[in-house]
Amino acid sequence: MALRISARSELPPFMVMDVVEKAEAMQASTHEVLRMEMGQPASLPPQAALAALQRYIDDPRAHSYTLSRGITPLRQAIARHYKRWYDLVIDPDQILITMGSSVGFLMAFLTCFDAGARIAMTVPGYSAYRNLMLSASLEPMLIDVYAEDDWRLSVEKLAALSPRPDGLLIANPANPTGVALSGAEVEAIAKWCEANGVRLISDEIYHGIHFGAAGHCARQYASSALVLNSFSKYFAMTGHRIGWIIAPDDLVDPLDRLGQNSFISANALSQMAAAAALDDPDSYRQMDEYVARYRINRDLLLARLPEKLLGQFPYPDGGFYIYADTRALSADSAVLSNRFLDELSISVTPGCDFDERLGHLYTRLSFAGSTEDMAEAAQRLSDWVAQNA
Ligand SMILES: Cc1ncc(COP(=O)(O)O)c(C=O)c1O
């Protein structure tokens, strides 16, 4: 007799993973692929992190469980990071280390909300949010945003939501659109949430990767907000799986207990490396050089790619993605992505991963790779468009 599988496990797949699998299979058969599908920085983590990995490799503490909320030096270093970047005083006891921000999202959902709660988020948006909400028996409330409105979320859109959501998840800068909210926008959204009893969860994983004004942390405006972040993007440490949550006092213990019972602790050696990265000012200089390269990559692609591939869209002002309007090339971006991979050996992500409604008209290009790869990709894509469109 076939036994039941829970309804909550019937999640849509992460389509980019199909692209990754195919691209990796091609690479394994010595086929070179220009990788533009994942948000994977092409460069190494901070030198200070690499040195720490070597320094601590024989230290028994590097191979042990840690406190579930993370090692104290890392939580203290993150608190100093908030003072440095935002002039914010955060108590290290309000910081919890997670296994990447991905696990942090699930922890935040499970501790903040009961089954059936409604959580608002913008679409297009990072699909794991919605899928994790479904797996936690929560109800995503999708707020459509459009290129014509600069993909922006406004308080007017929030006020129009009916029924009122229990929570709101914002990503700033956003994936895939690259929209970075101004301080005034974050403040207005955070204040609306506090005034309306809506729990704000702010994904700030792309902070530091800004091409205009610096990022604003939701905690600057709402003490009840949860802030999620990680070492994956600005610090180029995706594989270490180290993220963090800044939580209001009343959520610290529930989050800590959930961590203790689910993953016990994040990788000890990686936590030590992350702390070393934050403690060395050179890490910031090195990472800012990467950000300067992302900007060069963005500008190169926007200057060289044909309009038929880019469409009309607002400039990404943070993160490392272009969410291109590819409808002039194909009404199905999944088909288009496959063609780019098969015919040009370029892997990109179809927009359906971010938007079930209009995603077939969009394609996400990641410019986190090397400038050399971006130039080569721009050439191949431009030639392809000239021949095929
Ligand atoms: C917007 C956003 N949030 C969260 C994540 C998860 O990152 P990690 O689990 O590596 O911290 C990603 C990964 O690409 C992302 O794009």
Side-chain angles (χ1 to χ4, degrees):
M1 188 174 72
L3 296 180
R4 276 194 61 200
I5 298 175
S6 74
R8 71 162 73 88
S9 60
E10 278 182 26
L11 300 178
F14 214 175
M15 283 176 75
V16 66
M17 288 306 174
D18 294 342
V19 180
V20 170
E21 208 172 322
K22 191 164 165 186
E24 287 188 355
M26 285 166 77
Q27 284 180 319
S29 60
T30 67
H31 198 104
E32 239 180 72
V33 178
L34 295 177
R35 304 289 294 266
M36 297 176 76
E37 84 284 14
M38 287 282 266
Q40 173 59 58
S43 311
L44 284 171
Q47 277 302 326
L50 299 182
L53 290 171
Q54 295 196 342
R55 190 163 65 250
Y56 293 120
I57 193 72
D58 294 326
D59 185 330
R61 289 173 304 170
H63 305 284
S64 310
Y65 292 130
T66 72
L67 279 181
S68 195
R69 56 185 180 274
I71 60 172
T72 305
L74 176 56
R75 290 184 294 112
Q76 289 172 336
I78 292 174
R80 286 192 292 274
H81 173 79
Y82 277 83
K83 180 75 187 136
R84 194 180 299 132
W85 269 15
Y86 312 99
D87 199 23
L88 250 181
V89 177
I90 304 281
D91 182 342
D93 284 344
Q94 293 189 317
I95 299 172
L96 299 109
I97 305 304
T98 59
M99 293 173 63
S101 68
S102 300
V103 170
F105 282 106
L106 196 55
M107 292 169 68
F109 295 157
L110 291 172
T111 46
C112 292
F113 309 110
D114 283 313
R118 293 177 298 270
I119 323 299
M121 58 171 276
T122 50
V123 172
Y126 182 54
S127 58
Y129 301 145
R130 182 169 164 262
N131 296 343
L132 284 176
M133 286 175 201
L134 293 173
S135 75
S137 302
L138 301 172
E139 196 186 308
M141 274 180 97
L142 305 181
I143 310 173
D144 295 335
V145 290
Y146 298 93
E148 302 80 77
D149 303 330
D150 209 13
W151 304 114
R152 288 188 121 71
L153 174 64
S154 60
V155 167
E156 292 68 42
K157 277 188 185 273
L158 290 174
L161 290 175
S162 175
R164 183 155 295 162
D166 300 291
L168 169 70
L169 198 162
I170 57 169
N172 177 31
N175 173 10
T177 59
V179 169
L181 298 170
S182 68
E185 286 171 307
V186 178
E187 181 173 12
I189 291 169
K191 295 231 157 105
W192 182 88
C193 286
E194 286 214 317
N196 288 281
V198 175
R199 174 75 72 184
L200 176 62
I201 299 178
S202 179
D203 180 353
E204 302 182 358
I205 182 173
Y206 290 100
H207 268 215
I209 310 178
H210 289 88
F211 310 120
H216 291 263
C217 176
R219 275 293 289 242
Q220 290 170 281
Y221 309 108
S223 56
S224 63
L226 270 83
V227 170
L228 281 91
N229 206 325
S230 95
F231 285 86
S232 291
K233 306 297 179 176
Y234 177 76
F235 290 101
M237 293 175 65
T238 52
H240 289 273
R241 312 306 306 129
I242 302 294
W244 70 88
I245 301 178
I246 300 179
D249 287 331
D250 58 343
L251 278 174
V252 168
D253 281 344
L255 283 163
D256 197 18
R257 286 194 294 267
L258 187 58
Q260 291 163 2
N261 284 287
S262 51
F263 62 90
I264 304 185
S265 65
N267 179 317
L269 180 58
S270 294
Q271 290 189 60
M272 292 161 129
L278 290 182
D279 282 340
D280 186 343
D282 279 344
S283 302
Y284 291 87
R285 279 191 277 278
Q286 188 186 345
M287 297 305 114
D288 286 343
E289 280 170 23
Y290 295 177
V291 176
R293 191 187 72 234
Y294 304 143
R295 177 198 282 271
I296 291 171
N297 291 353
R298 178 198 69 165
D299 292 346
L300 181 152
L301 290 174
L302 294 178
R304 298 196 195 167
L305 289 175
E307 195 179 325
K308 275 195 177 136
L309 196 149
L310 288 175
Q312 294 294 337
F313 70 100
Y315 259 46
D317 33 32
F320 32 53
Y321 309 107
I322 293 172
Y323 197 49
D325 181 340
T326 44
R327 76 186 76 194
L329 297 179
S330 169
D332 185 346
S333 55
V335 172
L336 187 68
S337 305
N338 246 318
R339 288 194 67 185
F340 287 167
L341 191 51
D342 290 339
E343 298 171 34
L344 301 175
S345 300
I346 296 176
S347 51
V348 297
T349 304
C352 329
D353 250 356
F354 312 101
D355 182 355
E356 282 182 345
R357 166 196 60 129
L358 294 177
H360 56 286
L361 303 176
Y362 290 87
T363 302
R364 190 190 73 174
L365 313 173
S366 163
F367 51 83
S370 69
T371 304
E372 207 184 9
D373 278 2
M374 295 305 115
E376 178 60 28
Q379 186 64 51
R380 285 188 210 171
L381 288 164
S382 304
D383 292 348
W384 188 92
V385 171
Q387 282 160 23
N388 291 276

